[in-house]
Amino acid sequence: PNKIGEYAELGNVTRDSAKADEEEFIKVIEGRAKENAGKLKFVDINKAEKEIEVKEVVTLSKVIEGLKEKFPGLVHMRIPVCNSAAPLETDFDILVKTLIGTNINTPVIINDQVGLSRATTGCVAACLFKEFQISASFEGLVETVPGVNLDLLKMDRYKMDPNKDALFRGEFEVIKELVAELKDEGAKNECDKVIDKNGPAKTGGT
């Protein structure tokens, strides 16, 4: 009972079904508050039971709609991802399709309920997309401006810390086999850099 939903598989959950569930859930919350003299019991992220007075209940969708009025260019995309299993390929497709067409300097804000595995995975995917955008911009500059040195444009001097544990260096057998097959470690180095940048400061994260 103390791990309800912690390792649950989502199944065929979509953005639309999540919004429909959200609308239904707010009715449940309002009903519970009404039955409890305007107060609501809940469990916070640290699993501590608390009770608050309910003055207003607003869905996440309505909060975002309010932000869009203040920030007209804001685009919100909800991607239901399981907390304890690998994201689906369609989850990455949704993220990429949302980012396609954005400017290279467009800020991307990623948030999840806990802020651990899912948010980090989303940040890594978004950063990789930004890396592709930057590379494409550099290549376009080199092709259109005579005499531009691509190596001078690349300010990134990332190097993997050789003292890291093999697990944190991403040296999994399947990755080793893939790199050997491709005969190029460039893609892995790019992923290592982005993953480290999204980690804690002690591992080079920002």
Side-chain angles (χ1 to χ4, degrees):
N2 65 333
K3 292 186 180 296
I4 293 176
E6 193 164 327
Y7 300 103
E9 297 294 336
L10 289 177
N12 188 25
V13 178
T14 64
R15 182 173 185 264
D16 291 336
S17 68
K19 185 174 182 179
D21 290 342
E22 181 182 64
E23 296 291 342
E24 192 64 31
F25 185 56
I26 199 171
K27 296 177 184 177
V28 174
I29 293 176
E30 290 172 339
R32 289 183 180 180
K34 187 176 181 180
E35 294 170 359
N36 193 35
K39 294 183 178 181
L40 184 69
K41 293 181 179 180
F42 68 98
V43 178
D44 68 12
I45 194 172
N46 297 314
K47 298 185 173 66
E49 292 187 10
K50 296 184 179 181
E51 186 177 63
I52 56 171
E53 181 182 356
V54 178
K55 295 182 178 180
E56 183 183 15
V57 182
V58 183
T59 64
L60 174 62
S61 298
K62 287 187 177 179
V63 171
I64 297 298
E65 290 305 314
L67 286 173
K68 286 182 179 179
E69 294 178 3
K70 188 175 181 181
F71 303 99
L74 177 66
V75 175
H76 176 246
M77 179 56 67
R78 174 181 278 175
I79 309 175
V81 177
C82 182
N83 188 38
S84 53
L88 303 175
E89 289 186 16
T90 51
D91 297 334
F92 293 107
D93 291 341
I94 294 171
L95 177 63
V96 171
K97 286 178 182 177
T98 304
L99 293 175
I100 287 176
T102 59
N103 292 328
I104 193 170
N105 62 343
T106 299
V108 180
I109 302 170
I110 295 177
N111 176 67
D112 73 14
Q113 182 185 10
V114 181
L116 294 174
S117 56
R118 289 173 296 180
T120 304
T121 302
C123 286
V124 168
C127 286
L128 286 172
F129 184 92
K130 289 293 183 182
E131 288 284 332
F132 290 138
Q133 282 186 313
I134 292 171
S135 297
S137 297
F138 284 166
E139 288 176 6
L141 188 61
V142 170
E143 291 175 2
T144 55
V145 180
V148 174
N149 188 333
L150 182 60
D151 291 331
L152 294 178
L153 291 175
K154 294 181 177 179
M155 304 297 291
D156 190 356
R157 299 291 182 265
Y158 170 83
K159 287 186 178 180
M160 171 66 74
D161 182 357
N163 297 318
K164 275 187 179 182
D165 181 271
L167 175 66
F168 291 100
R169 293 201 305 268
E171 294 183 355
F172 305 100
E173 288 304 317
V174 64
I175 299 299
K176 289 181 179 179
E177 292 176 11
L178 181 60
V179 170
E181 183 69 24
L182 295 174
K183 297 180 176 61
D184 183 7
E185 293 190 358
K188 181 182 181 304
N189 291 339
E190 193 68 31
C191 289
D192 288 338
K193 177 190 74 175
V194 171
I195 291 171
D196 277 357
K197 291 294 183 182
N198 280 280
K202 65 180 181 180
T203 60
T206 55

